[in-house]
Amino acid sequence: MKTISILIPTYNEEENVPLLYPELKALFVQQLANYKYEFVFIDNKSKDKTREEILKICNSDKNVKAIFNCRNFGQFNSPYYGITQTTGDCCILLCADFQDPLEMIPQFVAEWEKGFRIVVGIKNKSKENPLMFLARSIFYRALKKMSEVEMIEHFTGFGLYDKSFVDVLKNLDDSTPFLRGIVAELGFERKEISYTQAKRRAGKTSNNWFKLYDAAMLGITSYTKSMMRLATFVGFFLAGISIVVALVYLVLKLLFWDHFPTGIAPITIAIFFFGSIQLFFIGFLGEYILSINARVKHRPLVVEDQRINYQEKARLL
């Protein structure tokens, strides 16, 4: 009998965890009775009672495991590490807030049994803030056009990954992994299933503009060269314009010396304009350097504080 692992990253989900477990359990009893299950919660140092709720579930069901991180290691490292710690024949990554529809799990499994080693959910609609969905759409399309890899639009990581792909993730030496890009770059042939993303059932999201910016920069710096090349092209273009303007200014100055207007306003405007362009691209260069720095330091993805219902002790990867 095959085993299906469900990986559930958590951070301040004390209201959702007690609701999620019984629904997942019922799903396996009613629709996936021919499979064994392994539920793995990986908690990113929640500040509420999330860990207490997870411990209750682990104590009542030994097929439920938990990994407690010693601190918050970010929205990408923790889920990625959690996937590599599952032991099933496949792993399904699932958010704890019910925005990923549980009813899609049997569909994922059915496509997996047909031979697809990766089955992902693509949110074609969302009940979240319309402006946020629009901003995400613009970002995904821009990233897809800039990247050499065929990036997956509106893919959050929600999906099924065969054990063979989980092994690929285990062997990938990347201290700042961007799972959405890795699936597109290194994944096997995949099946995409559209869905409508629901609102959170309970609690408040920890995502904010700073975290979304981090996610965007990780994707850009990991999978594009366009911004740095754009800086080169813009530099050449503006340099050419500057030379032309300087020559025109010189000619007019020589021809109309007595009547040619003088002043510092044009020079000031030009300085601010070119300075802003430089600062913009220096900022992007800084993002690339930060990404390189994080990878060069080669820090572990997470450091565990505690493992529940695992035979081995806590460790780091």
Side-chain angles (χ1 to χ4, degrees), residues 190-208:
R190 64 181 180 269
K191 175 71 176 181
E192 299 180 359
I193 302 178
S194 299
Y195 71 99
T196 299
Q197 186 184 51
K199 291 184 178 180
R200 288 178 61 89
R201 183 171 296 187
K204 185 178 180 180
T205 181
S206 61
N207 272 337
N208 52 42

Side-chain angles (χ1 to χ4, degrees), residues 103-199:
E103 59 270 19
M104 289 185 66
I105 292 177
Q107 298 180 50
F108 287 169
V109 174
E111 296 297 336
W112 174 55
E113 291 290 10
K114 291 179 182 178
F116 288 100
R117 285 184 276 184
I118 297 177
V119 187
V120 299
I122 305 296
K123 56 176 185 178
N124 57 354
K125 295 180 181 178
S126 177
K127 295 181 180 179
E128 65 178 341
N129 187 315
L131 291 177
M132 186 66 70
F133 187 76
L134 176 62
R136 291 179 192 273
S137 299
I138 294 172
F139 167 72
Y140 284 128
R141 289 172 187 171
L143 182 62
K144 188 175 183 178
K145 287 186 177 297
M146 290 189 296
S147 175
E148 296 177 357
V149 176
E150 187 71 16
M151 303 301 287
I152 312 170
E153 295 186 48
H154 288 295
F155 169 52
T156 63
F158 173 47
L160 179 150
Y161 309 102
D162 185 79
K163 184 175 178 60
S164 58
F165 184 65
V166 173
D167 289 337
V168 172
L169 299 182
K170 288 180 180 179
N171 295 322
L172 187 63
D173 188 17
D174 190 347
S175 55
T176 56
F178 186 58
L179 180 63
R180 305 170 195 182
I182 293 170
V183 172
E185 180 185 17
L186 304 176
F188 303 100
E189 181 182 2
R190 64 181 180 269
K191 175 71 176 181
E192 299 180 359
I193 302 178
S194 299
Y195 71 99
T196 299
Q197 186 184 51
K199 291 184 178 180

Side-chain angles (χ1 to χ4, degrees), residues 15-62:
E15 297 178 74
N16 287 314
V17 167
L19 303 175
L20 181 62
Y21 168 70
E23 292 198 22
L24 278 175
K25 183 71 176 293
L27 184 69
F28 274 84
V29 171
Q30 297 168 10
Q31 300 186 49
L32 299 171
N34 294 326
Y35 299 90
K36 294 180 181 179
Y37 68 85
E38 174 192 60
F39 301 158
V40 179
F41 290 91
I42 181 164
D43 184 70
N44 222 2
K45 196 63 175 178
S46 291
K47 298 178 180 178
D48 59 5
K49 296 182 179 179
T50 299
R51 292 193 174 187
E52 294 178 22
E53 296 296 336
I54 293 174
L55 282 172
K56 292 178 185 177
I57 297 171
C58 289
N59 291 333
S60 65
D61 188 343
K62 296 304 177 182

